[in-house]
Amino acid sequence: MRIPSFPRSPYAGFFLFAALLAVMPQFLTNDYHLNVLIFIGIHCIIAIGLDLLLGYTGQISLGHAAFFGLGAYITGVLSAKASLPPIAGLAVALVGVGILAYFIGIPTLKLHGHYLAMATLGFGIIIQIFFNELDFLTGGPSGLVGIEDMSIFGYEFDSDLKYYYLVCVSLLLTLLLSINVVKSRVGRALRAIHGSEVASSVIGVNVSRYKVAIFVLSALYAAFAGWLYSHYMTFVSPSSFGFMFSVKLITMVVIGSLGSIWGAIFGAALITSMPEFLHVFQNYETTVFGFILIIVMIFMPRGLLRGLEDLLLSLWHAVRKRIIGTREETP
């Protein structure tokens, strides 16, 4: 009998993940846990986009929270000040953030290493200053209030459970798009750029075009997540889109596993939910959080998901080897 190899199809994982998301609310005991799952879903969308940029293409961004904030503020302002429906706000936010990311990406992505990190950091800081200073539009440091609840073509998402499924559908769509990007010719070009930009140029890859395109796509993911966040919270403030949140996003991608879409989801779920488990440590919560991250990076430098995958593969091969050895010894 042929012993099957370890299953690795991304689409099999996609359908299993969709089924898990569908039944997960059945196991929750209160609405607060549903609230946490909604935030995990929103963060997963941003982390997937950032992983395409950082993990697959090797371009670091320390200002990604700015695109998240722009998506939230544009839709929030259009809802609170102009009474536009959320779907119209989403369209304006995606177009606006896409154009801005394109013009920011062209000069910024010519930089490399820490120069690129500093440039994206500066962009994030500038955007946050705008959020704080444009009081008449954004509400300044106090934040923007009066954002309408989510409704799409007249259907109201007036409960946490309905919003949870909206976030799930949004996450699955971005996940499916990302899987197809990664598995396509574009994904191979991105991995080639990550390996060596010079070598990629030699084999005919338009490095600049791909880098800008994936930067814009990554920003659109963040803006889309901002739209979901804005209408769920019905309130946004500049403190939610600062430098520390950008660092948190990078931590999600790195801890999950760089260059793995599933790793980005795993990391976003872990980093978002971890404070809920660490509150028992009270004042030492941040210290314990940092200690856990250090331990993970020491013993699983490729990230949690790839570390667990390596462990499972080792166990699988050990079991196969033992079964085959037992058969050969049997007369």
Side-chain angles (χ1 to χ4, degrees), residues 32-33 273-285:
Y32 176 71
H33 293 151
S273 61
M274 192 175 283
E276 307 301 323
F277 300 105
L278 295 181
H279 64 83
V280 294
F281 295 100
Q282 295 181 348
N283 297 332
Y284 300 99
E285 179 183 325

Side-chain angles (χ1 to χ4, degrees), residues 23-99:
V23 301
M24 195 172 284
Q26 306 300 322
F27 302 99
L28 301 180
T29 55
N30 59 58
D31 288 342
Y32 176 71
H33 293 151
L34 198 59
N35 178 273
V36 174
L37 285 181
I38 290 171
F39 282 113
I40 288 175
I42 291 172
H43 290 170
C44 282
I45 293 172
I46 314 173
I48 290 173
L50 185 58
D51 190 49
L52 291 175
L53 179 69
L54 176 60
Y56 284 91
T57 322
Q59 307 301 308
I60 191 167
S61 171
L62 286 176
H64 228 61
F67 295 119
F68 179 49
L70 282 169
Y73 265 104
I74 291 174
T75 55
V77 168
L78 291 176
S79 174
K81 306 286 185 183
S83 300
L84 283 183
I87 200 72
L90 173 64
V92 175
L94 291 179
V95 172
V97 170
I99 293 173

Side-chain angles (χ1 to χ4, degrees), residues 107-184:
T108 303
L109 294 174
K110 292 179 180 177
L111 304 172
H112 298 88
H114 58 277
Y115 296 107
L116 175 59
M118 290 300 103
T120 52
L121 170 63
F123 168 71
I125 292 173
I126 289 170
I127 293 298
Q128 195 180 24
I129 290 173
F130 275 118
F131 291 157
N132 276 305
E133 296 300 322
L134 297 176
D135 295 39
F136 69 98
L137 198 62
T138 64
S142 301
L144 178 68
V145 297
I147 302 172
E148 298 290 333
D149 290 330
M150 179 67 80
S151 68
I152 298 178
F153 302 122
Y155 184 80
E156 300 282 342
F157 293 86
D158 51 5
S159 71
D160 280 353
L161 186 61
K162 288 181 181 177
Y163 214 93
Y164 167 78
Y165 283 115
L166 173 65
V167 171
C168 287
V169 170
S170 304
L171 173 58
L172 289 172
L173 289 175
T174 53
L175 176 59
L176 191 61
L177 173 63
S178 304
I179 289 174
N180 282 287
V181 167
V182 168
K183 294 295 176 186
S184 69

